[in-house]
Every structure is written in C-alpha cells, then in structure tokens.
Amino acid sequence: MTGFVVVSQHALTMLLEVNKGVESVLLPCQYSGIIPEINPIVMWTRYDLNPKSVHLQREGGDDLGEQNQHYRGRTSMRPDALDTGDFSLTLRNPELTDSGNYTCSLADIKEELRWTDIQLEVKDQQVEVKVEEGSESVLLPCKTKPDLPEDTRVEWTCSDLELILVHVYSNGDHIKNQDGVYRDRTRMNKDLLKTGDLSLTLKYPTERDSGEYICTIYRDKDILRQKVVLQVKEPFPSWATALLVLLVLLVVSGGLLFHFRHYFMSVYKVEVEEGVKSVQLPCKTTVHIPEDAKVEWRNSYGTVHVYQNGSDQTQEQHQIFQSRTNMKRNLLKTGDLSLTMKYPTDGDNYTYTCTVYSREGNILMQKKVLLHVRDCQVEVEEGAESVQLPFKTTQNLPEEAKVVWKRKEPKPVMMVHVYQDTTDQPEEQHQVYRDRTKMNEDLLKTGDLSLTLKHPTERDSGEYRCRVYSEIKRYKRVLLRVRVSMKVSAAVDPLNCDRGLTLEETLSTFQQLLHHGGRSLTVTARNDEMQYPRIHFIQNSNKAVAEEHKVAEFEILLFLGHKINF
C-alpha cells in the first residue's frame, strides 16, 4: 500500500470499552460513500504493530496473507461488506493486548480513505454477583460518570447462547423488543442519566438466569461496556429445612410430625426420564368448582397455562410453554385440573403451582408439584463416525425461527451450529466445528432439532445447549462425554531397543497421560528405513515428554517387544 494518498477528512474517533473474557466485540464502521469500482479494499489496521494489518477484505473475500499473527483466527467481517457498506469488524476473545487504536479504511489503487478510528480498551475486570434462587430480586451493578447526555442509550443484554435483549433505556424505558423471558421482571433507576447509576434490578431470579450480562452505554460517539456475571444458586430446599427442624422437634414431641403431615404432603414430586414425549403434573380436587372459576398453572418463570371461560387462554402463556401444554375437557366438572406438558427437558425443572381463583380473585384451592426431568447424557467412544445430540419438540415451529446450538462448558463458549432462514449458517460456526455438524431437513416442520456431530473427540466433551428464538421459544441441554479407548496387543519389536519401561509401567503411564483426552501426552513419530515409526519417551522428573503427533490412529512400539494400538 505504499505510495497511496491517505485522506482522513471524514475520520471519526470513538472510544470502545469492553471487559476481558467476553466472547467477542464489534468494532463498528459504517461507510455511506461511493465504493471504488476498481479493486476496492477494506482495511483494518493498527499502526503501532508490525505488521499493521488486523483484517483485509477484497471483492473476492478476505485476504489475510499479511495479517498480524496476533489476530490469526480471531477476526471476521460480513462477506457482503463491500456491497452493504457495513465494514464492522468482529474481534473474538478480546485480550488485554488488543487495546489500542484501530483504523477502518477504504482503499483502491490510487488512495486510502481513513473512515473511522476506534480506540479499543480491554479491561481486566468483571463484577460477579451471587444470589439464591427464590430471592425477590437481584441488582446487576453498572455505573459511569454522572450527567450523561439526554440522547444516551443504555442496553442490557445477556450473552448466554447469543445476545438476548434484557432491557433498553433511551429517553425512557423501552420493552417492546425485550426478550419474553425478562418481561415484567426488570427495572432501572430513576434519574439514571443524572446519577450515572445504570444498574439493573432483575426480579425473581432463577438458575436459568445465570450467565454473563453486558451493560452497553452509547454516549455521544463512544461505546462503553461493563460485564456482570450472575450466578443464581439453588437454595437449600425450604421443605428440607422444615423437615430437619421437625425431626429435631420429633425427639421432643412425636405428635408434631402428625400435626404437620398435610404440610409435607402438599408438594407432590414428579420425576421422568429425559426424552419422554409428555409428563403429567397431577392436580385433582373433590371440592365443587364454580363455572366462572379461573385455573392457573405457574412457576417462578411465569405463566405456564390458564383455563378460563370454558377455554385455554394461550395468549397469557410464557413463550417457552406455547403449544406444549394442555388440560382435560370438562375439568371444572370432574375436578381433574392436571396439566400435560409435552417434550419436557431439564430446563422445565421447577415447582409448579396450580391455583383456582373465584370470579372475585379469591383463592379457592392451591397445589404445588415439583417436576424433575433427568439430565440428557450422551456417551460415545472416540473414533466413532458420528454422535447425535437429541432434541425433539413440538411440530410446525415458526418459519422465521432461529435454532442455535452452542457448547456452554468448558469455556470459552463456542458456536456449534446455527440454522436460520430455512438454511444452515456455517459462517457463524466456530472453526472447531466447521464441516462437522448436520441437522435434519424440515426440522422446523418435524420439530426434530437434533444435531449430528461428526468424528467426535474427547475435546468435544462438555455441556451443549440448544435454543429456539422466535415468538415460540424452546430450550434443551445435552451433556456429551466422548470416551478414549486403548487396546493392547503383543508383537515383535523390530527395533531391538535396549532397556526401557516395562509393559506395566508404560500402561500405567499411558492411563494417566491419556486421561482427559491425552492433553498431557505428546508423541513424536519419526519415519526412517524401519518398518514402524520410532517413538521416543524421555524420562524427566517422572514425566514422559515429547511433541504432539496429531493423527486419528497410530501405533506405539514398546522397548520390550509390545505395541499399543489406540
């Protein structure tokens, strides 16, 4: 690019703050001018580095030949950037050393136009908030300088599986685009622009609310971000606490247990295996129920099902239960108020309350049911051709639905597969899963959202989550374990090597080093004139040391005339 005329008259400078540990950060650059017709190039550069190139895109796609090694595999742009004028850069897993001044430029064969300058600051801090499930509310702190401009915009998002809009403030609270999970559960302080206290209050937190929350402040042309990690813990069950107290009192007076027997019987527990098509939450009464009564099933997340005026009131349901629940006919006459829930997952593990209200709103009857759906666990041996992560739900999901599979644990969170607009979105995948995943055809129509993962390895082990984003929501968690196997057979050692480890010593060492996928084991295979590759083990501080030899299957020759296939 030497010899170019550099023009910066349109350049804008903005401050962008982000905490270390976030999955990615977007460096915005929107171009509204005329794109050169001959050899246009979009360049992201840091002039304090050598080489200075952070990312470069031509008409034919990305050109990363001169990219600084520090950014290798961590940057991406829209493939249609030169068509849309959206030159924004996504930087994954930002590090402290990523802090600096970034320049977004458009160039052709004659000149370079510096369009946007961004000062990125990656901060090594995050706030952790812990709260027990069942608490009335929890405060997610976010503070900045007071006396913010009136046009300041504040966004609270959750970056669990993708960015979910939790709360927006812009000249007042805006909840129109708020995710349904947080509806009627969030609020921000009054006079927040004057005080600079942009903290968010989240009501009735549950374990599913745990995750990373981002407070983003759009102030003038600056973008400031603060990260809050929320951990909602399951409390020691109140019934268990009561039980312990009563057991102690039982020693003094056995009559107390009999006196409170109805209290213990008031919570009915239902436990089912993962993968069942439906589960019934029982609620029956012999008490006469008026015809104008209202029957409502709820959990701590919201409304599950409502029956009133002779029919179901589906408009009051939470999105995750829509099309998944039903009650029996003539339920007021029979007194059978049981609820059937289709395709339960461990995400449905809550205490459900069935309440009957009179026309005046008085409670006529109430019963609690504790639902426990066992974890979905999948095991497969390394070397298998593929493994399926199962997820079946109701049929005929909305055509605009977005299906996202992510690996949640271990960190960092990785995008495994994305389906949207009736097709897969491979550009959103993490490179580890590129060309290794597949979903069924007509998945929205059939409700089979299962994911096939090809050639699983031990490093694929972990917690996977699938979410459906639309006016109807779905959720599933799958625990995958890929086992590493090892086979031993006898053979003649053509190397005739001298004393080495005994077979028992070597097997013991292998079992230790191959644990958790062999990350501790490194192997060097050297080809020579001999029939088999030679494998060297160096005994150093009681550890085998070598370099990793990445092949799917190979043989290790032992010094005492044995070989191991694994």
Side-chain angles (χ1 to χ4, degrees), residues 17 29 40 105 120 143 147 223 240 244 254 309 313 330 337 343 349 394 421 423 435 437 447 452 493 521 530-531 549:
E17 292 182 353
C29 182
S105 305
L120 175 63
K143 295 184 179 180
D147 299 319
I223 301 177
L244 289 175
N309 299 325
Q313 307 297 313
N330 301 320
L337 312 180
Y343 301 104
N349 289 345
T394 55
D421 298 328
T423 185
D435 300 322
T437 59
T452 298
D493 180 7
L521 174 63
M530 302 180 187
Q531 183 178 359
H549 182 59

Side-chain angles (χ1 to χ4, degrees), residues 90-110:
T90 298
L91 175 61
R92 291 181 288 276
N93 303 319
E95 305 168 359
L96 296 178
T97 52
D98 292 327
S99 296
N101 293 320
Y102 292 74
T103 299
C104 171
S105 305
L106 176 65
D108 59 9
I109 58 175
K110 297 180 180 180

Side-chain angles (χ1 to χ4, degrees), residues 201-267:
T201 297
L202 176 62
K203 303 176 186 177
Y204 314 119
T206 69
E207 189 276 335
R208 202 186 293 182
D209 292 321
S210 297
E212 298 177 357
Y213 289 78
I214 306 297
C215 173
T216 305
I217 309 157
Y218 299 91
R219 183 189 65 194
D220 294 329
K221 55 180 177 288
D222 295 338
I223 301 177
L224 312 179
R225 286 190 173 94
Q226 296 183 27
K227 177 181 174 183
V228 180
V229 178
L230 174 63
Q231 183 180 357
V232 184
K233 297 181 177 180
E234 290 189 20
F236 191 68
S238 58
W239 62 266
T241 304
L243 179 60
L244 289 175
V245 172
L246 287 176
L247 285 176
V248 173
L249 294 175
L250 182 62
V251 177
V252 180
S253 175
L256 285 175
L257 184 60
F258 176 80
H259 181 72
F260 288 106
R261 69 191 185 281
H262 296 293
Y263 171 78
F264 288 99
M265 295 171 60
S266 63
V267 178

